[in-house]
Amino acid sequence: MAGMSPEAVYNYLGGVQYPAKKPELIKHAKINGAGADIINALETLPDEEYKSQDELIRIGSQLKHKEWSEIRHEHGR
């Protein structure tokens, strides 16, 4: 999946004011033109409030969903 990296997630979440909940993250990603891979990865997140993009990536990388696995793999986490 080309373009699936923490940097890509950050780019698609530009403008999000943290703390933010999952629906807000998904909404911003869609507004910013995220593809299905990013949206699918965000939809696998727990329904929590995220304090920062770094927290979002950390929690997402602990999931077993293939999109997040690729993020973890690309950054050796």
Side-chain angles (χ1 to χ4, degrees), residues 5-77:
S5 67
E7 291 78 18
V9 174
Y10 292 147
N11 289 338
Y12 291 119
L13 293 177
V16 172
Q17 296 293 314
Y18 291 90
K21 294 187 177 183
K22 182 170 106 171
E24 185 177 348
L25 299 172
I26 293 169
K27 175 184 168 188
H28 274 275
K30 287 179 179 178
I31 289 170
N32 290 327
D37 55 349
I38 299 285
I39 300 302
N40 289 339
L42 292 172
E43 288 176 345
T44 68
L45 289 168
D47 288 324
E48 296 179 8
E49 187 170 78
Y50 297 92
K51 295 179 177 131
S52 68
Q53 286 181 336
D54 290 337
E55 179 184 41
L56 170 69
I57 294 296
R58 180 181 54 76
I59 291 171
S61 69
Q62 295 170 0
L63 300 175
K64 294 184 181 182
H65 195 267
K66 64 181 178 179
E67 282 83 3
W68 289 108
S69 295
E70 226 174 273
I71 290 173
R72 185 176 63 245
H73 175 71
E74 288 180 10
H75 289 270
R77 294 182 185 162

